[in-house]
Amino acid sequence: MLIGIAALRLPFAYWLPRQATTETILMIENKGPFTAGRVAKHCCEAGKQESFLWDTESAGLGLKASAGDAKNCILQSRLETGATMRLTIGSTTAWTLAAARTEAR
C-alpha cells in the first residue's frame, strides 16, 4: 500500500534551499575580525537606534554604534534559560581592541 505525501507530514520547507534575503546579507556583512579600520568605519545605520558589528575572533564580542555616534564594545551571551544578555565593556575611545578581547574572554 502506498502512503500519500500528506500522510507523511514531511516538513517540505526544510528541503528547499534557503534564499539569501537582505537581512541575512546584512548579518554576514556585520561579522568579521575587528580591525582599527572596521571599528572606525562602523556607524549606526540610517533610521535605526543602534547597529552591531560582531567579531569573529572572540566569541560574543561586539561593537554597538548608537544613533548619537557613540561606539561601545559589548559582550553578548546566552543564559541557561535561553535569554540573551548584553554587557557593556566600555567605549572604543577608552578600550583598545586587544583589551576588549581579553575582557570578553
Side-chain angles (χ1 to χ4, degrees):
M1 178 176 158
L2 293 175
I3 299 174
I5 292 177
L8 293 175
R9 297 180 190 221
L10 297 175
F12 290 101
Y14 294 111
W15 290 6
L16 300 174
R18 184 174 174 185
Q19 294 181 353
T21 62
T22 305
E23 184 177 323
T24 56
I25 292 170
L26 285 175
M27 287 174 60
I28 293 168
E29 291 177 355
N30 287 341
K31 290 183 179 180
F34 278 6
T35 61
R38 285 192 77 181
V39 170
K41 283 183 7 182
H42 183 64
C43 60
C44 188
E45 298 171 24
K48 292 192 172 187
Q49 291 294 319
E50 53 192 22
S51 182
F52 296 94
L53 181 66
W54 300 102
D55 188 21
T56 54
E57 293 182 11
S58 189
L61 180 63
L63 178 68
K64 175 183 167 185
S66 299
D69 293 331
K71 294 180 189 176
N72 289 306
C73 295
I74 61 168
L75 175 66
Q76 179 171 298
S77 184
R78 288 203 186 267
L79 301 174
E80 290 180 7
T81 60
T84 301
M85 176 183 69
R86 284 190 190 137
L87 299 172
T88 301
I89 295 173
S91 172
T92 55
T93 57
W95 287 78
T96 64
L97 292 177
R101 281 189 178 121
T102 302
E103 186 71 16
R105 289 186 189 129

